[in-house]
Amino acid sequence: MMEPLRIAVIGAGAMGQGHCASIGRVPELRLTAVCDTHEDTVQAVGARFDVPAFTDVDALLSAGCADAVLVAVPHPLHAMITLPCMAAGLHVLCEKPLAETVSAADAMLASAREHGVAFAVMFQRRFDPAMRAAIAFARDGGIGPILRTALVVPEFRAQYYFDSNPWRATWRGEGGGVLLNQAAHLLDIFALVGGLPSSLYGRAETRLHDIEVEDTAEALLRYPDGGSGYIHCSTVEPPDGGVLEVIGERGAVRCRGGRLRMLRYPEGVGKFARAASEVWAKPPVEEISDSAVNEAPKQSLVLKNFARHILHGEPLWCDAASGLASLELANAITLSGTTGREVALPVDRAAYDALLAELREKSTYRKREMAAVRVTDPKLV
Ligand SMILES: NC(=O)c1ccc[n+]([C@@H]2O[C@H](COP(=O)([O-])OP(=O)(O)OC[C@H]3O[C@@H](n4cnc5c(N)ncnc54)[C@H](O)[C@@H]3O)[C@@H](O)[C@H]2O)c1
């Protein structure tokens, strides 16, 4: 494939416009088109970046002007946009979350395999060097069987944020709340470092905002080896970086107060507990690293890696298959919170699809009328 890789952005809203700017900073990529169903928006963005503008995906595909697409439409539309692009042989970088349901994400992953195209997800926090090291530490067996985990994600949003776009925070338009959207990045890192629990009890509620979906969610987790964990995420609490802790038999990742520490328990916690012959014995702890967390790594890092993967075979750091885990957690907590029952993971696809269909069907919620505001979060580009 020729360098630079030709990429089109589908969904020229808040995030899509940021991506158009980021692409210009990646030498391996060239923006060749934008596509958005909102005519005025797509014409303005096309003119700003000096590329052709399309109002539907079929026309974009027929033009044959791209080797890859970046999908930045609302998440319930990710699958219906991604599938025809993959069928046309285009590589896909999809915004997070992959979709609003695990079943839709499964279909996207199957299509990528069937058509032999690269498929990545925009989880830019994986590029923070501290998080990257923690993921590698866990992958290389540094943590071992889980003893305890904790994830606290305070991702404050004002009511204006939810009002600023008709699709946001509704079952029909978004398909979920903080679990699906604002907490997705840290749920992703949490699942990569600690793995998925085997089951959970969840609770989801709407506390502060006038929205239809949850702005607060929590869960008690059970891991395959018997370890336990806790998740709390919300858009009601002022941000402070939160907490991400994964404590295992052989080591730990402890992230709080904007710092991430990695620890090793060289003798193994359980082994030490059984073997120690002193009353007040404590397991030895080796500190491996203590580094500052970067909460907003630039999305151009994901774009560059995606392009270099296709062009030069560089390992894909945000592969979509691994991005499914955060969606498993989000869907599982919603399912458990709604049914009041413990939910096993992987999530029962049919049960979750039925639940979301029912929530959408029974919805009587009416959003405040307001024209859509497409403003990119400045810390991302
Ligand atoms: N990675 C991150 O940190 C991050 C940050 C913000 C948003 N996002 C994700 O980006 C996605 C978009 O969010 P946003 O805030 O940009 O929303 P937005 O509403 O500002 O933009 C979405 C755009 O998609 C367009 N659109 C809708 N249906 C379409 C279709 N069928 N074909 C083409 N265009 C269509 C809309 O007209 C709109 O311009 C979401 O999935 C969101 O979770 C990710």
Side-chain angles (χ1 to χ4, degrees), residues 14-15 36 75 78 95-96 124 165 167-168 185 374:
M15 204 59 264
D36 196 296
H75 9 286
H78 287 180
E95 258 303 348
K96 54 76 4 204
Q124 69 270 8
N165 221 307
W167 64 272
R168 287 197 202 287
H185 291 285
R374 295 172 170 87

Side-chain angles (χ1 to χ4, degrees), residues 17 43 92 115 148 239 288 322:
Q17 292 176 34
Q43 292 304 339
V92 175
H115 298 289
R148 176 185 73 79
I288 302 169
S322 62

Side-chain angles (χ1 to χ4, degrees), residues 94-109:
C94 183
E95 258 303 348
K96 54 76 4 204
L98 278 176
E100 86 282 36
T101 63
V102 278
S103 63
D106 287 346
M108 295 157 81
L109 289 163

